[in-house]
Amino acid sequence: MTAVSPEAAIADARERIDVLDDRIIGLVQERMAVSAVVQQTRIASGGRRVNLSREMEILGRYRDALGKPGTSLAMTLLELCRGRV
């Protein structure tokens, strides 16, 4: 068994992070597309573009899973998906 140098371990971990980031970006883009469908459908049926009670559910979900930084992450996602309110 050969020991892995710290530099090699870091390089490997960074490659894994890059792959994860690519997946996260793809998922955010997919979420944006799905959110656009929801907004268009809601507006076409006479509703509002934004559903605040739904957004509060999302904020709570992220906060419960990730703590206070989860709320910031959820706010960023909501802004990306629906624009600024």
Side-chain angles (χ1 to χ4, degrees):
M1 183 171 173
T2 60
V4 176
S5 72
E7 293 82 10
I10 290 169
D12 180 58
R14 286 182 175 163
E15 284 181 32
R16 291 173 52 207
I17 286 171
D18 290 345
V19 169
L20 290 168
D21 283 344
D22 288 343
R23 289 173 49 196
I24 291 167
I25 290 166
L27 289 170
V28 170
Q29 291 170 331
E30 183 178 352
R31 190 188 193 287
M32 291 169 68
V34 172
S35 181
V37 170
V38 170
Q39 288 180 52
Q40 291 166 0
T41 304
R42 191 181 307 120
I43 291 168
S45 66
R48 299 177 53 128
R49 181 175 67 90
V50 176
N51 181 330
L52 295 179
S53 63
R54 173 67 177 149
E55 289 197 0
M56 294 305 295
E57 288 175 27
I58 293 166
L59 291 171
R61 183 176 181 189
Y62 276 77
R63 182 190 61 245
D64 291 348
L66 303 171
K68 187 176 178 182
T71 304
S72 297
L73 177 59
M75 286 299 297
T76 299
L77 283 171
L78 289 170
E79 185 175 328
L80 282 168
C81 291
R82 53 116 163 96
R84 291 183 181 253
V85 176

